Each structure stands twice: as structure tokens, then as C-alpha cells.
Amino acid sequence: MRIDFRLTPRRSLLLFLLMVVGVALFYLFRQKPLPEASAESIGMSTVRLARIDTVLQQYVNRQKIPGAVALVVRNGKIVYHKGFGYNTLEKNAPLSRNAIFRIASQSKAIVSAAVLILYEEGKFLLDDPISNYIPAFRNPKVMDNLNLADTTFTTVPARREITIRDLLTHTSGIGYAQIGFNNAIAIYAKHGIPSGIGTPHYQLSEVMGKLATLPLMHQPGERFTYGLNTDVLGYLIEVVTGKPLDEFLRERVFDPLGMEDTQFYLSPDKAPRLATLFAEYEEGETSVAQNWKDYYPDFPLEKGTYFSGGAGLTATAYDYAVFLQTILNGGEFNGNRILAPATVRLMTTNQIGEINLTNKKFGLGFAIATEKEAAKGPVSVGTLDWSGIYGTTYWADPQERLIGILMIQKYPASYGDLGEKFKVLVYQAITQTNEKEESL
């Protein structure tokens, strides 16, 4: 019997349809590099993790939060990933666990890692003066006296230049616009320095050039002052590489790690997944956020030109978990290495000496739990953490190989204790600790 292998129009159409279905099924059922697993398989309890459901739903029901996405990873596997609440004021659209969030200051750790990629390539040393690469920062001045009435000020010379390490550790003396201390807010407002929070229509080169001429809030290395340091580092990346910051991050961090939903300004196909930003201008009354302090909530939907390394990124909970897992893995994820283990050790080691950040220290992009911090709650010594002003927070515990991420989009808000409760709820679900027991 002869079989006719000729490709007739009907057979061509059938083959095409089979290929389309095959590709669709592949993308539908493919296993992500950060796989999901049962809690029991990695020493946690499904029943105990369900307590997270109860508490988050209570906060939604009491209108403390409109919604939230919670994600827990242990030993490189997702054991909890759920969305709660709604994404509209009318409560007619649920908040998806794949929603994209404005992560604000959670951008800092990612951009700090990008800086260290260039450090590993010999582009600079951490104790190099930033003025070696951005000359406008040469011979910095420190504020001596400020007249808030007219924002005139006097200065004294800085005892030394600002270094790249100072910027990575927020000890440079550079403050924050709009959300910082009064001195910095007043000076930066007068000279048009944005915070990077919802301010898309600037240029890094112009803003950093102006910032470099303004006084520092204190002598470099003297104390921890949260500020626009990572925005300066983002511009450093642009100067050293000759590429826009968004392009460098995509090529060297996001694409290698598979962080497909992390961007400064969302592409049209991702825009519908942007979580709504809510506000609470009066306690207990939730509304959709309006323009606030010269920024507006829909900035990720703009064709923005300002790539704020300190506050500008958007991401899913999953993508941020991938980044944190990369750090816990010593700089590698899914066969792609972006940093060496020695460099990750620098990121996660106290870099501010005797300077205190409550009960924490600070590395190169992360706060680090000390023994005092670990004594107050469930985290282990060395746990990394930070948060974003819109209501996002995370931690990564190297000892327990544990990641917790809670994504909310509400500012201002009155739900302040939820982040700490979330930590307790995650740790109480651990049934087999990774801690090495000491012999008695």
C-alpha cells in the first residue's frame, strides 16, 4: 500500500493548527525555573501556611488593604503563592498573583547587584571616588547651616570624596527628595531633583549633574542616610557602559535570570497587569491613589525617560523571588551566573561597621539582621530585607533558605504591622529547621 505524503492545502492547514496547539500547550504547561512544590516536601506545613490566608483575608475584609499577593519559597521551591482581595475600588476584579507591582525601593538591591557585575569586570573598585567616573561630584561640600525660610545655606568642605561603596551603603551624605528629611527636601525641591518615585519625565544625566552640585547632609561615611544613592549608581552604570540603565539591566540581569515581567515602564502587552495603586488619605477610607507630592500613580504606563535605580522598577512577586533566590544561590540561577559567590558575600556582609540601622546592619544593597534583630522575631541572623513605599516588602533568610514576599499597593496606609505578622506566619509553618543544632 502506498501512502501519499504530498502536502495538500487541507493537510497544510491541519499541520499548522497542530503546531499552534503544540506551542500553546508547551507554554501553558512548561515548568518555570522556580517550581512549585508541596510544603511537606521541604519541611513546612500546608495547614500552618493556610493561616496566612486567614490573616490576609481579614485585612481585606476590614478594608485595611484592598488586596495582596504573598509568595513563600524554601529550598528553591515555591510552597505558597496566592492573590487576595481586589484590584478595583468596586471590588469586581480580583488581584491576580501574577499582577505587576510598583516595587519602588526594592529596585535598589537589583541595581546594586548590577553595579557589582561591573565591579567584577574590573570597571572600577568599590572605594574609588565616584568623581573618577562622574566628574561633577568632585570636591563635594557638606551643609553647615540652612535657612528653611528661603533655602539659603552655608557649607564646609567634605573631608574626603564620595566613594562607590558609600553610595552602595547609603553613607555618602546624599539625602532623599520629597520623602527625606526637611533639609534635603527643601534643597532638592528648589533645584528640581526628583525622588524617582513616579517621576518619569526627567533625564538621569541632567538630574545627577544638578545633584552633584548640592551639599551633602553629612560627611561621607559618617552615618547612614537613606537617599538618592542608588539613582547615582544607576547613572554610573550608564556612564561606564554607554548604555541606558534599562537596557543594561535587561541584558545582564533580567534576561539571564528569566525575570520576564520586570521593567521600568511597561510594554503594552504587560500594561493590563499593572496593579491599581490605592490610598488612604483618611484612616479606614480606601480610594484610588491620586497625584501626590508631584508624582502620579500611573507612571509605569508612560513612555518614561527617567530610569530611577532607587525607585523606578515594576515587577511580579515571582520575578522578585527569582532575584532573591539568585542571591541565596551565591549569584546563580537556572544555570546562569550573574555574580560570583565572593561578590554575593560582600553584598550580604556588614559594610557600615559600627553605624547602626536600628537592630540591623547594611551590606551592599540589603539590610542585614543582627543577633539583636533575630532575638526580637523569627528571622535568622544574616537575613536580608528591605521594602518599597507603595506597600511591598521582602526578606531572604540564607540559613533557612527561605524567601518571603508580600506585595501590596496602597499609600498612604494604616496597616503597618502586616509585614511583621507575615514573617511570623511564614516561620511558624516550618516543621523542619535548617539550623544546625548545637551538641549539649
Side-chain angles (χ1 to χ4, degrees):
M1 181 179 69
R2 292 183 60 186
I3 300 176
D4 187 358
F5 289 102
R6 286 178 298 176
L7 215 56
T8 64
R10 185 175 179 179
R11 288 174 178 171
S12 297
L13 178 60
L14 180 60
L15 182 60
F16 173 75
L17 291 174
L18 287 172
M19 289 174 62
V20 169
V21 171
V23 170
L25 289 173
F26 170 77
Y27 282 101
L28 182 63
F29 294 107
R30 65 175 175 167
Q31 180 81 318
K32 284 192 171 185
L34 205 55
E36 299 193 30
S38 70
E40 283 70 23
S41 69
I42 47 82
M44 298 185 77
S45 164
T46 300
V47 172
R48 284 178 165 265
L49 281 172
R51 294 175 179 177
I52 300 173
D53 301 36
T54 302
V55 173
L56 291 182
Q57 193 60 53
Q58 286 174 349
Y59 272 70
V60 171
N61 294 344
R62 295 170 185 170
Q63 298 187 43
K64 290 286 190 180
I65 59 173
V69 171
L71 188 150
V72 179
V73 179
R74 195 176 193 216
N75 296 336
K77 295 179 180 179
I78 296 172
V79 295
Y80 188 96
H81 189 192
K82 295 183 180 181
F84 293 85
Y86 52 90
N87 198 34
T88 61
L89 198 59
E90 298 76 22
K91 304 182 182 181
N92 58 5
L95 181 62
S96 166
R97 73 176 195 171
N98 295 318
I100 296 174
F101 293 82
R102 304 158 189 81
I103 63 171
S105 287
Q106 289 186 201
S107 307
K108 290 179 171 67
I110 293 174
V111 174
S112 297
V115 168
L116 293 169
I117 289 173
L118 296 174
Y119 160 74
E120 288 190 337
E121 294 178 352
K123 304 295 186 185
F124 45 71
L125 293 174
L126 297 184
D127 293 314
D128 284 349
I130 189 64
S131 60
N132 287 3
Y133 309 93
I134 310 175
F137 281 95
R138 188 164 289 128
N139 300 319
K141 302 291 192 298
V142 177
M143 186 178 293
D144 186 27
N145 289 297
L146 170 69
N147 183 343
L148 279 174
D150 61 6
T151 62
T152 58
F153 55 84
T154 60
T155 64
V156 297
R159 289 192 286 267
R160 65 169 175 81
E161 295 275 312
I162 298 168
T163 67
I164 294 171
R165 193 187 302 269
D166 292 331
L167 295 168
L168 285 163
T169 56
H170 293 272
T171 58
S172 69
I174 294 173
Y176 235 128
Q178 297 173 292
I179 60 172
F181 294 107
N182 287 339
N183 287 4
I185 290 174
I187 294 297
Y188 294 164
K190 182 177 182 178
H191 292 85
I193 306 296
S195 67
I197 301 171
T199 52
H201 301 303
Y202 290 81
Q203 296 290 337
L204 265 179
S205 57
E206 180 183 351
V207 171
M208 294 302 109
K210 289 193 292 185
L211 179 64
T213 67
L214 300 178
L216 304 175
M217 300 300 111
H218 57 75
Q219 293 288 342
E222 185 177 78
R223 62 178 184 266
F224 182 97
T225 295
Y226 198 46
L228 293 166
N229 300 278
T230 319
D231 290 70
V232 179
L233 292 170
Y235 184 50
L236 170 67
I237 290 173
E238 294 197 344
V239 169
V240 170
T241 66
K243 295 180 178 181
L245 179 59
D246 65 330
E247 183 179 334
F248 182 81
L249 291 178
R250 185 178 66 252
E251 292 177 356
R252 302 300 303 274
V253 180
F254 303 150
D255 284 353
L257 299 183
M259 296 170 65
E260 299 174 353
D261 293 321
T262 305
Q263 299 175 329
F264 283 101
Y265 304 102
L266 296 176
S267 54
D269 61 313
K270 299 185 187 301
R273 291 164 53 203
L274 179 66
T276 300
L277 179 60
F278 294 88
E280 189 176 337
Y281 300 113
E282 294 185 19
E283 186 172 340
E285 294 188 9
T286 297
S287 63
V288 175
Q290 305 298 317
N291 292 354
W292 176 81
K293 290 190 177 181
D294 300 324
Y295 83 86
Y296 53 98
D298 287 339
F299 72 90
L301 303 179
E302 297 287 314
K303 292 183 178 179
T305 57
Y306 193 64
F307 304 120
S308 169
L313 286 171
T314 60
T316 57
Y318 175 86
D319 269 14
Y320 211 84
V322 165
F323 171 69
L324 294 176
Q325 189 63 51
T326 302
I327 299 302
L328 292 186
N329 290 350
E332 179 273 338
F333 182 77
N334 198 32
N336 293 303
R337 179 168 294 282
I338 64 167
L339 291 170
T343 305
V344 173
R345 178 184 58 78
L346 284 176
M347 288 188 79
T348 57
T349 299
N350 174 23
Q351 297 285 333
I352 61 174
E354 298 304 311
I355 297 173
N356 286 319
L357 183 62
T358 60
N359 289 316
K360 301 175 185 177
K361 295 296 183 179
F362 206 82
L364 303 179
F366 294 105
I368 305 169
T370 63
E371 288 187 5
K372 287 184 178 180
E373 181 67 16
K376 288 174 53 184
V379 303
S380 307
V381 174
T383 295
L384 315 170
D385 75 71
W386 208 248
S387 59
I389 195 171
Y390 297 114
T392 61
T393 188
Y394 72 85
W395 80 89
D397 185 332
Q399 182 170 292
E400 291 294 348
R401 303 286 294 170
L402 182 69
I403 294 167
I405 296 173
L406 183 64
M407 297 288 211
I408 300 167
Q409 296 281 262
K410 188 178 181 183
Y411 185 84
S414 62
Y415 60 84
D417 61 354
L418 183 54
E420 289 304 308
K421 285 183 178 178
F422 178 59
K423 283 182 184 175
V424 174
L425 291 164
V426 172
Y427 277 89
Q428 62 84 34
I430 295 175
T431 56
Q432 296 177 11
T433 180
N434 288 339
E435 184 178 0
K436 294 181 180 178
E437 296 183 6
E438 296 181 4
S439 56
L440 300 179

